[in-house]
Amino acid sequence: MAAQKVTVDEALAAEHGLTPEEYESIIAHLGRTPTLEELGVFSVMWSEHCSYKSSRVHLKKFPTSGTAVLQGPGENAGAVDIGGGMAAVFKIESHNHPSYVEPYQGAATGVGGILRDVFTMGARPVANLNSLRFGSPEHPRTPYLLGGVVRGIGDYGNCVGVPTVGGEIYFDAGYDGNILVNAFTLGVVRADKLFRAVASGKGNPVLYVGSKTGRDGIHGASLLASSEFKEESEQMRPTVQVGDPFTENLLIEACLEVMAGDDVVAIQDMGAAGLTSSSVEMAGRGGVGIRLDLDRIPLREDVIPPYEILLSESQERMVLVVKQGRQAAVSEFFARWGLSCVEIGEVTDDQRFSATYRGEEVASIPVAALTDAAPAYERPISPRPPRPVFDPDTIAVPAGTEAHNRILIDLIGSANLCSRRWVYDQYDSYVGANTVIHPGGDAALVRVRETGAGLALTTDCNSRYVDLDARVGAAHAVAEAVRNVAVTGAKPLAISDCLNFGNPEKPDVMGQFADAIEGMAEACRVFDAPVISGNVSFYNDTRGHSIPPTPVVALVGLCKDASATAVSGFRSEGESIYLLGDGRPEFGGSAYLALCHGQAGDRPPVVDLEGERKLSWLCADIIADGLVSCAHDVAEGGLAVALAEMCLTGQGPGCTVDTEWRERSDLALFGESGCRILLTVAPERAADLEKAAAEAGVGCRRLGSTGGNAVSIKDGDQTVLQVEIQQLRDSWEATLPAIAGRSGSARDGS
């Protein structure tokens, strides 16, 4: 073996994030002390980010198969059948820690990485989403992080030519020291052209394609995302990758074209852990070995040590296994696209991951030791202590119309309910000309050109609900995602999840995680929406404080005709407004309780999964039948906020409704629940709607009609809330630009 410049021992292993027991296990697998390069390889492959060592035992509880599932977890992305011989391929992943350290590049390379996961499957990316969490708007660093992340997402997506069609953004002091940046990509491909990263064929050459390898990203996504943030973590900008969307665009086109032929056996992007993980994962899936010659790796500098070559997370790089004798033809093909392509190794039959440098073997590890034998822990679990019982009688009922008006204006202008236009105006949602529903509604809708069908996509999670009760809150996240695609006329196909939690070594965090898995799994079974891909992001802790538990759900739904859809805003005057569903408003976890009273309550609203299923299926069906002109789910902020949003995102008209009070006024107006959707129909079709709801066993109540220039809510003859749309709009649109405008120029926000 090559002479080592440093002493490899337990202390060095600890610096690599390995426990003493894990280091002893490495020695046992090898039968000797590892080389420095081998220690680095084990450290990244056994990291939390790559091995899921704290979550694997729980992830097995997810439903992962179904009649439409073509590829479940275990590949670069999941895939489902969408009819007409086509498949949808999608995945969501986190890039949290890199984005906190360097928001622009962290977010940009998060987009680049998830794009590669999708086109590696042979699918053309057609849409991006994101799910973002920032600290308190008043925190001095928040404006800098917000501006950098949004600009990074926008610049990369816009330059690479894939539309960013929606997402979500949320502010909470719990994210002050650890923001969340979750990136999602959807692609489409002929179902019989799905590609899988399974290496095979002894002697088949291994090719390197794309950008040169540099020192950026050493221990980036792999180890940076596998430990808590400490004081020095914010100085780790060299561990964050730097993206080049123009090279990514070339890679997309070149890879899709070469994969259309029969020269490529397997292909994988160099994501977290770079060259190491891509090679090991391909070999592991195929039950083969791979031998690499590190002297052949294209470098940005004259000399980069083998340790850094193996672990670099430089962007826009791919590894291909091609058929023997075809490497020259494939290299010439990529050269026509202006992309570097060199042979760097070969497939072996010894089931080992081997690497040489300057004629010496610097690594030789059984592939199974890096994959199947990676540690799997059943971390201790403890329940969260119960919260004090919330008594709504301790909160005074708002007195009169002006009090209710003020609450609505404050809610609609709050950071978590205000207009997201400042964000999505920086994204190009039109490129590709397939976006049917653009950002600003409940879900985006993208046309499948080959079939005329529509794919609805959304990301959702109410972390307040999850923090109160992880099982119920996670089930709510799935249910809300289903409602959001239902109001476009789509029914759910499958889910990709991004499970963002704190330190798994804390029993209460693992208790939240285990409960969230249970809630999501139960909801997925009810909606027949299996989990086909995803990501776990642990160690979202800063100086001992965990983020709010945030299991983000990215859901894709299908409607057979992309032109048969509904929008979320009121279209015209004189239409009848109906409330579908049997949800009853509650205070717990509501935006009203948090904003106006500084409380969370003791539990989230009740979740009725069977009621949610009936409601969403009915909504999708009546939209597909052309009965509904607009639809919007009632979620955060309650009924009054939902009505205001329909006015603000629509084409002008206000509304007048009568709630027919069943509860105290602030609960009726601002209380939250699942299982509620607002929609409008032409008056002559009202009887058809009521009949369809009765046949489906779904509650259906006429509230009023569209018209006027205000949101007007009555209780019989008494007006209890009336706010002009322009006044709401002024509040709604001012907040995000004001937050972003405080960014100044200081990286640390000081």
Side-chain angles (χ1 to χ4, degrees), residues 517-534:
I517 294 284
E518 295 278 1
M520 289 182 64
E522 180 184 5
C524 289
R525 285 190 288 269
V526 169
F527 296 118
D528 191 22
V531 178
I532 63 169
S533 62

Side-chain angles (χ1 to χ4, degrees), residues 39-340:
L39 183 69
V41 168
F42 271 105
S43 73
V44 293
M45 293 306 299
W46 284 12
S47 69
E48 191 71 57
H49 187 84
C50 293
S51 74
Y52 297 94
K53 57 189 174 185
S54 298
S55 59
R56 292 208 307 269
V57 295
H58 298 283
L59 297 176
K60 294 176 182 177
K61 298 174 184 176
F62 279 142
T64 58
S65 60
T67 55
V69 176
L70 301 175
Q71 177 63 58
E75 263 289 347
N76 288 291
V80 287
D81 189 335
I82 57 174
M86 300 298 294
V89 177
F90 56 91
K91 186 181 183 183
I92 187 170
E93 274 209 343
S94 62
H95 225 226
N96 302 336
H97 288 183
S99 298
Y100 183 78
V101 172
E102 173 46 63
Y104 180 85
Q105 291 295 351
T109 54
V111 174
I114 199 65
L115 283 166
R116 291 192 297 278
D117 280 340
V118 167
F119 75 73
T120 296
M121 300 287 292
R124 175 171 293 280
V126 296
N128 290 332
L129 293 179
N130 51 75
S131 177
L132 310 177
R133 298 292 189 280
F134 296 97
S136 166
E138 290 75 32
H139 190 279
R141 190 172 166 85
T142 294
Y144 162 67
L145 293 169
L146 170 66
V149 166
V150 171
R151 190 163 52 89
I153 291 170
D155 285 358
Y156 201 99
N158 296 350
C159 291
V160 84
V162 177
T164 301
V165 298
E168 58 169 356
I169 183 172
Y170 194 90
F171 297 87
D172 187 281
Y175 304 103
D176 279 348
N178 197 128
I179 66 173
L180 303 183
V181 175
N182 297 173
F184 170 94
T185 292
L186 168 73
V188 294
V189 62
R190 279 178 46 189
D192 61 354
K193 290 294 185 180
L194 267 177
F195 229 88
R196 292 171 174 85
V198 181
S200 63
K202 179 184 177 182
N204 276 341
V206 177
L207 305 185
Y208 173 119
V209 173
S211 297
K212 293 182 178 180
T213 294
R215 285 190 156 99
D216 58 312
I218 307 296
H219 285 310
S222 54
L223 293 191
L224 181 58
S226 298
S227 62
E228 292 187 7
F229 268 127
K230 302 177 179 66
E231 293 289 347
E232 63 272 17
S233 297
E234 295 176 26
Q235 309 305 317
M236 296 177 67
R237 287 192 183 91
T239 67
V240 179
Q241 311 94 319
V242 176
D244 177 1
F246 300 104
T247 297
E248 181 96 343
N249 182 267
L250 294 175
L251 272 177
I252 291 173
E253 298 304 329
C255 288
L256 290 179
E257 193 170 327
V258 76
M259 291 160 72
D262 61 359
D263 290 334
V264 179
V265 175
I267 182 171
Q268 176 106 350
D269 81 289
M270 294 189 226
L275 179 62
T276 290
S277 65
S278 56
S279 303
V280 168
E281 289 170 4
M282 282 200 301
R285 294 188 191 105
V288 296
I290 281 184
R291 181 180 297 113
L292 302 177
D293 182 351
L294 301 184
D295 294 300
R296 300 183 183 180
I297 304 297
L299 304 177
R300 292 184 197 160
E301 303 177 25
D302 291 340
V303 177
I304 296 180
Y307 174 92
E308 297 188 19
I309 294 173
L310 285 166
L311 303 188
S312 169
E313 295 180 7
S314 295
Q315 294 291 285
E316 292 85 37
R317 301 180 302 157
M318 312 291 289
V319 174
L320 286 73
V321 175
V322 302
K323 294 178 179 178
Q324 289 190 57
R326 299 302 299 165
Q327 54 266 50
V330 171
S331 295
E332 290 175 7
F333 176 88
F334 280 105
R336 293 198 299 271
W337 285 91
L339 294 169
S340 171

Side-chain angles (χ1 to χ4, degrees), residues 576 578 580 618 622 627-628 679-681 685-694 700:
S576 297
Y578 277 84
L580 283 188
L618 169 65
I622 59 179
L627 186 59
V628 175
L679 50 78
T680 62
V681 296
R685 301 299 304 275
D688 296 332
L689 170 64
E690 293 173 5
K691 179 182 178 183
C700 178

